[in-house]
Amino acid sequence: MTSKFRRLVYAVVLFLSGFWAMVSHSAMATEGGIGAYPDGLDNYLSGALPPAGIHALFYGGNIHYNKLRGNHGDLIPVPGFKVNVNVLAPRLVWVTEKQVFGGQLAYHAIVPLLDVTANAAGKHDNSKGVGDITFGPALGYHPAPDLAYVIGLNINAPTGHYNRNDLANLGKNYWTAQPVWAISYFPVSGINADLKVMYDVNFRNKDTKTTSGQALHADYALGWGFGNGLVVGVGGYAFQQATNDSGSNSAQGKARAVGFGPSIRYANDKGWLVTLKWQKDFVVSHRPSGSQIFLKAAIPF
């Protein structure tokens, strides 16, 4: 194994053992290939605000990577490469009565709890704890009873543990500003469709003196409503890095990926909501690939 390849393997383990951790190396872009947001996390009704009040949502899931993809999707042969991430992320949403620019003002915060196990090239590591917290304001619009959209700004704060000398990091060690636009079409019966579009503007990691490239990405869901609160269909994500990294540890190339898989939703008129999605990564370049399963549950207060 060449010294360059050893550095590549070590850098991958550094990043993926913390999932939201930051690393830069010659094959992975966007400082490890994964942005601040777990691609495909959201699902049906991503663009619909709940009624005024305080609401609790819970995201849970498992993220599994078993391959590394480089330029043009070429496989990077890292012996024994596997990463398993268990996520539980409570989210608090406060929908106010206030109207701003014709939309209903809301605020939210999400705190990810991570349990990460990574194996690569004979190395093993495990890390548990709080990751980077996301918070921000949003405006919700309901132009029709079965159509809604949200405009917002997410701020990803570097609250998770980070030490560039540690194998297990829970944070990326830099701020990210993320404008968001999401729309949901949700008739009781027939076609249901959702799209959540985000753009990441990453700030400098002071420890590595590197700024990750900006990225455009989206979650989507398309299904059929059966008239009883049940929707069955497909969902996934698309990710494309828009600008190159900059700084002393900049990566070469731009990360991209597409996720696709089955998706299901159940909701009732009392405010309860459950969605479940499994997705597999396709068309992957400059980042790890594998599969993910995500559960979202909304509980009204």
Side-chain angles (χ1 to χ4, degrees):
M1 185 182 293
T2 66
S3 60
K4 182 178 180 180
F5 188 72
R6 288 193 188 97
R7 289 196 299 270
L8 168 62
V9 172
Y10 184 68
V12 170
V13 173
L14 274 174
F15 169 73
L16 289 172
S17 63
F19 182 62
W20 270 279
M22 196 296 304
V23 73
S24 175
H25 53 81
S26 61
M28 298 291 104
T30 319
E31 293 195 286
I34 307 293
Y37 176 86
D39 295 309
L41 178 67
D42 227 327
N43 204 338
Y44 295 108
L45 295 178
S46 60
L49 279 184
I54 297 175
H55 303 263
L57 287 83
F58 295 90
Y59 295 90
N62 175 266
I63 299 141
H64 180 74
Y65 294 122
N66 56 10
K67 291 182 176 64
L68 282 174
R69 300 288 180 180
N71 195 30
H72 306 300
D74 296 336
L75 180 65
I76 301 173
V78 179
F81 174 73
K82 287 184 181 179
V83 176
N84 194 71
V85 183
N86 294 312
V87 182
L88 176 61
R91 180 184 185 186
L92 194 65
V93 179
W94 175 32
V95 182
T96 73
E97 299 279 0
K98 188 173 183 179
Q99 297 285 316
V100 178
F101 299 116
Q104 194 167 5
L105 179 64
Y107 302 93
H108 83 109
I110 183 168
V111 181
L113 308 175
L114 309 178
D115 180 1
V116 185
T117 301
N119 296 277
K123 294 183 179 292
H124 171 83
D125 202 1
N126 177 261
S127 180
K128 299 177 183 178
V130 177
D132 289 346
I133 294 173
T134 299
F135 61 91
L139 294 175
Y141 298 84
H142 293 268
D146 55 6
L147 180 66
Y149 65 94
V150 171
I151 300 172
L153 177 65
N154 289 336
I155 303 297
N156 297 292
T159 55
H161 172 77
Y162 177 88
N163 186 320
R164 64 179 303 174
N165 297 317
D166 288 349
L167 283 177
N169 284 301
L170 297 172
K172 294 184 74 69
N173 201 44
Y174 59 80
W175 293 81
T176 298
Q178 184 187 80
V180 180
W181 177 78
I183 187 168
S184 295
Y185 177 62
F186 48 96
V188 175
S189 300
I191 293 176
N192 280 236
D194 294 79
L195 181 66
K196 180 180 179 180
V197 181
M198 297 152 280
Y199 192 84
D200 294 351
V201 179
N202 300 307
F203 291 80
R204 189 171 182 258
N205 184 326
K206 65 182 187 305
D207 288 357
T208 63
K209 299 179 175 58
T210 300
T211 302
S212 291
Q214 299 176 15
L216 176 67
H217 52 110
D219 294 350
Y220 67 88
L222 181 65
W224 184 266
F226 290 90
N228 57 358
L230 181 66
V231 177
V232 177
V234 297
Y237 73 91
F239 179 96
Q240 176 63 61
Q241 186 174 342
T243 65
N244 291 317
D245 296 352
S246 63
S248 57
N249 286 333
S250 296
Q252 298 176 5
K254 297 176 182 177
R256 68 172 182 178
V258 173
F260 178 82
S263 181
I264 189 171
R265 185 211 86 184
Y266 176 76
N268 63 23
D269 56 5
K270 296 180 180 179
W272 292 85
L273 167 70
V274 177
T275 70
L276 181 64
K277 172 201 292 184
W278 178 86
Q279 63 189 21
K280 183 175 175 57
D281 300 324
F282 298 94
V283 198
V284 180
S285 294
H286 295 290
R287 58 183 271 166
S289 67
S291 62
Q292 304 86 38
I293 184 168
F294 291 121
L295 173 72
K296 178 174 73 171
I299 302 173
F301 277 84

